[in-house]
Amino acid sequence: MIVHGEKTILNHFIEVFVNLDDEKVKSVAQRCLAAGIIKYDVIAALNEGLMIIGKKYENDEYTLTDLMMAGILFQDIINMKEFDIAFDVNSYVQEGTIILGTVKTDIHDIGKSMFKSVALASGFKIVDLGVDVSPETFCKAVKSGEKCILALSAVLTTTIQYLRETVDELIKHDLRKNVKIIIGGSLVSEEICRYIGADAFSINALDGVNICKTWVNVNE
């Protein structure tokens, strides 16, 4: 439970992050961790900030460059050495393996990288296949491991067919039963999730990782 003092610091953290103030946001992040605020709550604050930035972009208050800056700043904070050594029980738990990639013909990387950072901070092992990943490559990665989670990222509407083809490729090789599939990106929805045969979808990194954690906990 977040106490009043921690909430005040986190609110300030969200404010400077939304303002994309590079120096201040890192300084406040250090204050959060020094105050004993766990990494999960810092990540949740970052996620809230990203949602605000996304709305500002939709309202033409922020540009695409601002969105990219937010993504870079997010990763810079996650990669801070103070963040890495901050005490958090999740740091000592290996949650499971997530195979991650952006689907064929799509080279967008920001959302995938955010998801990867949050998943790593939450104790997951990540196999990052990169961008423009073919259904066959995803299938090969799943085939080489035990039961795992497959996280597919897609931003372009033209890539929906490749989301579907990736799932079909797993079915073709009798691997679908070995994997839970989550899709993410600005275009995903419950309808698309059902259409391609995925297990879940998420439009932000924190919610996506939380879904993955529920799957791992069920299998324990």
Side-chain angles (χ1 to χ4, degrees), residues 91-157:
S91 300
Y92 305 97
V93 177
Q94 188 66 51
E95 290 284 3
T97 299
I98 298 176
I99 297 172
L100 172 66
T102 304
V103 298
K104 187 176 179 180
T105 73
D106 197 331
I107 60 172
H108 290 85
D109 189 58
I110 294 176
K112 177 179 73 68
S113 295
M114 290 180 185
F115 178 88
K116 177 180 178 179
S117 295
V118 176
L120 285 170
S122 298
F124 281 96
K125 175 184 176 182
I126 298 294
V127 178
D128 189 349
L129 301 179
V131 299
D132 189 19
V133 182
S134 69
E136 294 78 13
T137 300
F138 279 120
C139 189
K140 183 178 179 180
V142 171
K143 194 172 184 178
S144 64
E146 298 179 354
K147 288 188 176 182
C148 60
I149 295 169
L150 182 61
L152 306 175
S153 176
V155 174
L156 304 174
T157 55

